[in-house]
Amino acid sequence: MLALFAGLLAAPLGAAPLPDTINLPAERAAIGRFQDFDQRLQDIGWKLVRGNAGFCPRVIPAIGLQLQDAASYGRPDIARAALDLKGDFAVQTAAHGSPAALAGGFTRNREIVRLGRFDPNEWPSGKRMDWQRVARAHDHIDALLTEHGGIEVGFADGGAVRVQPVDVCATRFELMGEGEAAVADGARVVIGMDFPAFAYDDAMFAALVAHELAHNLLGHDAWLDRNGRAWGKVKRTEREADRLIPWLLANAGYEPHAAVRFMKEWGPRHSVRLLRLPTHDGWPKRARAIEEELPLIAALTAREGRADWAQHFRREIDPAQGQ
Ligand SMILES: [Zn+2]
C-alpha cells in the first residue's frame, strides 16, 4: 500500500533536486516505523493464512515475501537516498516462519534486482506514489510460484536466494500509512496504522486481522455484490466474520478466547460510531456470539487437533445465493 513518508517530513512534494536540508535519518526512521508496523501485520497475517490453508476455498503457493518500491513513495529520490538504494526495489518484509524468512537473506531494505528472470526495476512506473508496480511485482512472484514451484530472487549485492513455496489462503495484507481503516475487498485485507488494535497484544491484534480475513474467506464481498447491500444482509456477514475469528485464531496457534478479549477491549471504546448503524450488532452481543463458538472449537481441537470450519462452521448466509 502507499507509504507516504519519504519526502513528506522535510520537503514539499514535487520540489526539484534533493536539497541539503533533507534529514535522511528522520526519513529513514519514518520508513522504519512504517516497516515495523507492516512486519507485525505480515507476521500475524501469515500465521492466519498458513494455519488455515487446509480449510480455505482458494489456496495459493506463497513464500511470505513482501517487496517495497521506491516509486510508491511521495519522493522516490529521498526514499532511495534514505534507504541507500540505487534502484527502486528492496525487501520490505519476510513474514516470520515463512519460507522467505526460513531461507534467510531477505533482510529489510536489501536491494533486489531480479525476480526469476526479470528485473522489476525495468518495468515502467509513475514518477511518484505509484503503488501499481509493486502490486505487479507481487503478481509476478505469485505467477512464478504457481508455474515453476519456486523462485530465485537476485540482489544488487550479487547474492541470490532460491525459495520454495507452501500453500496459504489467498489473501494479501496491506498496511496503510494513516487512518483507522480495517477493510477486506475479497483479495486483500487493508489495515490503517492508526487502528487501535496495533496497541494490543498479538493474539488480540490477530483477532482484528482475522475478522477482516474472514470476510474474504467466506466470500462476503462477492456475495453482497450479487445480493445487494441491504443492512440486514451486511449484518449477517458481519456476524459470520465475528464468529469465524476464534476458529481462524485456533488454527493459527493463537488462543481462541483472544477474539472475545479483543471485542471487549475495542468495543466499548471504538464501536460507538458503528452502533448508530444497523449493520453491526452492539459489542456485548458481538462478544457473546464469539464466545458461543468456543466450546465447539475446543471439542474439535481436542478430538481432531484442528478446528475445521469448512465442515463445522454454521453459516448465516447461503454462500451460493445469487450465483
Ligand atoms: Zn467486518
Side-chain angles (χ1 to χ4, degrees):
M1 207 71 195
L2 293 177
L4 300 175
F5 303 110
L8 292 187
L9 289 178
L13 288 176
L18 205 56
D20 298 337
T21 54
I22 295 287
N23 183 345
L24 285 182
E27 296 287 349
R28 203 173 297 127
I31 294 172
R33 181 167 178 271
F34 180 84
Q35 291 175 324
D36 288 343
F37 275 63
D38 204 4
Q39 182 76 53
R40 188 155 181 239
L41 174 61
Q42 301 303 329
D43 288 350
I44 285 168
W46 178 266
K47 279 179 83 166
L48 290 166
V49 292
R50 178 69 183 135
N52 286 281
F55 317 113
C56 288
R58 199 165 97 72
V59 164
I60 58 163
I63 59 171
L65 174 65
Q66 216 201 4
L67 308 178
Q68 58 178 320
D69 178 358
S72 69
Y73 288 96
R75 282 287 303 265
D77 51 347
I78 295 176
R80 279 191 292 268
L83 300 176
D84 200 19
L85 302 177
K86 288 187 193 62
D88 285 334
F89 279 88
V91 174
Q92 171 88 340
T93 59
H96 183 74
S98 69
L102 297 173
F106 292 96
T107 47
R108 188 187 282 186
N109 300 327
R110 190 177 182 189
E111 187 166 356
I112 288 174
V113 293
R114 197 163 50 75
L115 300 171
R117 291 200 324 272
F118 293 94
D119 179 356
N121 293 287
E122 289 172 4
W123 297 339
S125 75
K127 288 220 177 323
R128 57 185 168 93
M129 293 173 72
D130 175 352
W131 52 267
Q132 282 116 326
R133 190 169 65 162
V134 73
R136 180 180 171 189
H138 289 138
D139 291 344
H140 178 66
I141 292 174
D142 284 356
L144 285 177
L145 295 175
T146 301
E147 287 159 28
H148 303 296
I151 183 175
E152 186 173 279
V153 178
F155 297 100
D157 55 28
V161 178
R162 195 172 166 76
V163 196
Q164 242 89 48
V166 292
D167 284 344
V168 300
C169 305
T171 277
R172 284 181 191 167
F173 300 93
E174 294 181 9
L175 181 69
M176 263 175 63
E178 53 188 16
E180 290 185 37
V183 292
D185 71 356
R188 302 178 306 157
V189 164
V190 182
I191 311 275
M193 273 178 89
D194 300 327
F195 198 98
F198 273 106
Y200 302 168
D201 66 44
D202 277 355
M204 285 163 75
F205 181 73
L208 161 73
V209 179
H211 171 98
E212 299 306 329
L213 176 61
H215 283 309
N216 287 353
L217 304 185
L218 297 173
H220 286 161
D221 205 47
W223 187 85
L224 290 167
D225 280 350
R226 292 199 307 272
N227 296 290
R229 289 169 192 268
W231 282 339
K233 289 189 171 133
V234 174
K235 192 179 221 169
R236 278 191 283 152
T237 62
E238 290 301 332
R239 278 188 193 141
E240 279 197 341
D242 279 345
R243 288 179 37 242
L244 193 63
I245 299 173
W247 296 75
L248 299 178
L249 292 183
N251 292 319
Y254 294 108
E255 160 222 2
H257 186 262
V260 181
R261 287 198 290 121
F262 164 75
M263 196 53 76
K264 287 183 172 170
E265 175 72 26
W266 174 81
R269 292 162 188 80
H270 303 286
S271 70
V272 181
R273 278 168 303 156
L274 292 175
L275 283 178
R276 290 197 225 110
L277 301 171
T279 50
H280 291 67
D281 291 316
W283 70 264
K285 196 172 171 189
R286 295 179 71 180
R288 229 172 13 253
I290 295 170
E291 202 151 19
E292 282 168 9
E293 299 293 315
L294 300 181
L296 178 55
I297 294 169
L300 286 168
T301 310
R303 200 170 70 217
E304 302 172 4
R306 54 193 209 152
D308 183 348
W309 48 266
Q311 280 224 334
H312 300 288
F313 180 71
R314 176 177 54 80
R315 299 296 302 254
E316 303 196 24
I317 62 167
D318 170 7
Q321 188 181 346
Q323 275 182 345

